[in-house]
Amino acid sequence: MKTAVIFAMQKEAERFIKSYADVMPTMINGIPFYEITDSLTVCVGGVGKVNTAISATILHEHYRPDVIINAGVAGCLEDYPVGSVVVAPHCVQHDVDTTIAGDPIGLVSTVNVREFYTYNPDNTLKVLTESGIESEFGIVATGDWFGKDFDRARWVKNEFGALMCDMEAAAVCHVCLRYGTKPVIIKVVSDHVFSENQDEEYIAGVPLVSKTLTTATKMLVMHFLNE
């Protein structure tokens, strides 16, 4: 399958990109796209739902992938070790609230979806596990919010059953739903949302887990390119 990968930040993507031949990006509307091969494109789309949705849309319009992998670091709502790999069976948008119109919290009314399901998560978990990368399932709650408010974080955890908080995953799933393509979401724990030292954990955690993130992403890319 023709495969694309969206990272939010260059520091998440650079090890993965450098593991291939030296490829210069094509800039489209200010966003770098790395065409590794005819069947593999990597994008550094920027942080947040809107940046991610724009990047995913450009990927669809210019590169026509069959599957999009959103790979990145994220904050954990449980006490999982830094570097733990999580596969999302589905994602939610915790900052969507049209309850005044009678909708359930988190429902995206234009597509009437609250849970944005990913492509064959059982298989994704199997591929990683058989590659020696210990992984487990966890719901990812997406919103334009860095989880500093403990009360809000507890509500996200309880309302949606979320394990991870990020700012991109559900946006990728949302765009893929519109285009009828296959989203795959993997997140690596970089910090803990309920930690008093979350900022320090995040700053230290991103470079610490970049190797794990790269290895997991490459395993999935090789699988989907051959599927």
Side-chain angles (χ1 to χ4, degrees):
M1 288 195 291
K2 199 169 183 181
T3 303
V5 184
I6 293 183
F7 296 96
M9 301 177 290
Q10 194 69 36
K11 58 188 174 182
E12 294 173 315
E14 58 189 358
R15 183 187 288 265
F16 180 86
I17 294 167
K18 287 178 181 178
S19 69
Y20 293 92
D22 190 22
V23 179
M24 295 299 295
T26 298
M27 302 301 292
I28 303 175
N29 296 345
I31 302 166
F33 293 83
Y34 298 82
E35 193 168 356
I36 308 296
T37 68
D38 290 343
S39 298
L40 175 60
T41 304
V42 179
C43 167
V44 183
V47 174
K49 288 165 58 178
V50 175
N51 282 327
T52 302
I54 292 168
S55 301
T57 300
I58 293 171
L59 272 173
H60 280 96
E61 295 294 330
H62 284 259
Y63 298 101
R64 307 291 181 183
D66 301 300
V67 59
I68 295 184
I69 302 168
N70 174 225
V73 302
C76 190
L77 292 159
E78 298 284 357
D79 192 24
Y80 284 30
V82 168
S84 300
V85 179
V86 175
V87 173
H90 72 263
C91 305
V92 297
Q93 297 188 41
H94 68 78
D95 58 352
V96 171
D97 185 350
T98 54
T99 53
I100 195 171
D103 295 329
I105 191 75
L107 181 78
V108 181
S109 57
T110 51
V111 288
N112 291 318
V113 168
R114 187 176 192 252
E115 290 84 25
F116 289 84
Y117 288 95
T118 60
Y119 171 64
N120 202 348
D122 290 329
N123 184 59
T124 299
L125 191 75
K126 180 181 177 184
V127 169
L128 293 174
T129 301
E130 290 181 350
S131 301
I133 300 169
E134 290 188 19
S135 312
E136 57 187 282
F137 292 129
I139 297 165
V140 177
T142 300
D144 287 328
W145 170 76
F146 193 87
K148 298 289 291 180
D149 180 337
F150 288 0
D151 289 339
R152 170 79 183 180
R154 289 188 190 93
W155 175 82
V156 169
K157 178 182 174 181
N158 293 333
E159 176 65 30
F160 298 101
L163 176 62
M164 306 286 277
C165 271
D166 88 328
M167 300 175 73
E168 293 84 30
V172 171
C173 292
H174 191 162
V175 175
C176 286
L177 178 64
R178 289 286 199 176
Y179 278 90
T181 53
K182 301 173 174 66
V184 172
I185 308 297
I186 58 165
K187 299 292 170 177
V188 180
V189 175
S190 58
D191 57 277
H192 299 91
V193 175
F194 295 113
S195 171
E196 295 288 351
N197 302 312
Q198 187 189 14
D199 289 355
E200 292 85 355
E201 280 191 6
Y202 174 77
I203 291 167
V206 173
L208 186 66
V209 304
S210 64
K211 183 177 180 180
T212 300
L213 179 64
T214 297
T215 302
T217 306
K218 289 195 77 169
M219 291 301 103
L220 291 176
V221 165
M222 286 190 289
H223 170 77
F224 288 120
L225 287 176
N226 292 312
E227 189 173 278

